């Protein structure tokens, strides 16, 4: 339900304002490069808007994703899922929200410089690959974080564990990023990614 509401708003904003915004960002002296720059702008804006709405949805749904990760891990172990009581869940809500805000701070400190580069004509051609690579890495960090937090793995240790296998980390993040940009599919992508990240790191032996 959280994803349906947020991504519906994001889609409405894109349909109504994307073309106007892109046209206003392109100076007249670069009109002859419109065939190259406009697709780059549109791709960047599409990715940024859906990506930002994904982050907002993840903050709101963080406590539920934590429980989803626990359920997936219990299934992988062949164990029954133990439901938490209201007091425990409320405590976990504050913990997860605090951790999500820390992740967002970590993200913004790196994303803002990339975002500034992405709106500078000419330079934005090289900023797009950097933006996509960083976004893919961060999504793996985001979705794997729920299972890591369930096992009390610290913030810096999470990054170290992700860097052990950068190919798996970037592949998983790239697929997750692609899924967030596809209408309808992006409604289900975050929950699927949480489950997939839990399975990935459980099978790698990272969760004990």
């Amino acid at each position: 339900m959280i994803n349906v509401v947020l991504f519906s708003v994001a889609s409405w904003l894109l349909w109504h304002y994307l073309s106007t915004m892109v046209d206003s960002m392109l100076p007249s002296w670069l009109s002859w490069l419109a065939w190259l720059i406009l697709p780059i702008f549109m791709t960047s804006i599409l990715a940024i808007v859906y990506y930002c709405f994904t982050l907002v949805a993840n903050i709101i749904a963080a406590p539920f994703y934590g429980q989803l990760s626990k359920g997936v891990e219990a299934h992988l172990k062949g164990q029954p899922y133990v439901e938490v009581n209201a007091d425990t869940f409320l405590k976990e809500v504050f913990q997860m929200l605090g951790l999500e805000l820390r992740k967002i701070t970590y993200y913004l400190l790196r994303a803002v410089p990339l975002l500034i580069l992405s709106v500078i004509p000419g330079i934005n051609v090289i900023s797009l690959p950097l933006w996509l690579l960083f976004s893919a890495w961060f999504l793996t960090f985001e979705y794997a974080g729920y299972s890591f937090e369930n096992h009390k793995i610290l913030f810096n240790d999470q990054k170290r564990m992700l860097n052990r296998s950068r190919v798996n980390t970037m592949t998983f993040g790239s697929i997750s990023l692609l899924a967030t940009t596809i209408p309808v599919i992006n409604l289900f992508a975050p929950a699927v990614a949480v489950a997939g990240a839990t399975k990935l790191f459980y099978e790698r032996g990272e969760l004990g």
Side-chain angles (χ1 to χ4, degrees), residues 98-174:
L99 291 166
E100 283 298 309
L101 292 176
R102 184 177 180 183
K103 286 182 181 179
I104 292 300
T105 301
Y106 171 87
Y107 169 79
L108 290 176
L109 289 175
R110 291 154 179 81
V112 169
L114 289 175
L115 182 59
I116 293 173
L117 290 178
S118 69
V119 299
I120 301 176
I123 298 179
N124 56 14
V125 175
I126 63 172
S127 71
L128 180 58
L130 295 177
W131 177 271
L132 294 176
L133 287 173
F134 174 67
S135 298
W137 188 91
F138 184 79
L139 280 185
T140 304
F141 183 40
E142 172 74 9
Y143 292 127
Y146 300 107
S147 54
F148 287 150
E149 298 299 340
N150 288 336
H151 287 266
K152 310 301 180 185
I153 298 174
L154 299 178
F155 189 84
N156 290 329
D157 290 334
Q158 294 180 25
K159 293 185 290 182
R160 176 178 51 81
M161 293 167 70
L162 290 177
N163 286 327
R164 287 179 184 174
S165 180
R166 295 187 180 183
V167 174
N168 285 341
T169 296
M170 295 304 297
T171 301
F172 182 89
S174 298

Side-chain angles (χ1 to χ4, degrees), residues 36-52:
L36 174 63
I37 295 178
L38 287 179
I40 293 174
F41 272 157
M42 295 184 71
T43 302
S44 300
I45 292 171
L46 179 69
I48 290 169
V49 171
Y50 276 133
Y51 188 81
C52 290

Side-chain angles (χ1 to χ4, degrees), residues 59-130:
I59 293 174
I60 298 172
F64 304 103
Y65 288 152
Q67 297 304 312
L68 171 61
S69 180
K70 287 182 179 180
V72 171
E73 188 175 344
H75 172 74
L76 294 172
K77 292 179 177 178
Q79 300 173 352
Y81 171 68
V82 180
E83 300 227 4
V84 297
N85 57 45
D87 291 337
T88 301
F89 181 73
L90 185 60
K91 181 180 179 180
E92 291 183 356
V93 166
F94 290 107
Q95 289 177 342
M96 285 292 183
L97 290 179
L99 291 166
E100 283 298 309
L101 292 176
R102 184 177 180 183
K103 286 182 181 179
I104 292 300
T105 301
Y106 171 87
Y107 169 79
L108 290 176
L109 289 175
R110 291 154 179 81
V112 169
L114 289 175
L115 182 59
I116 293 173
L117 290 178
S118 69
V119 299
I120 301 176
I123 298 179
N124 56 14
V125 175
I126 63 172
S127 71
L128 180 58
L130 295 177

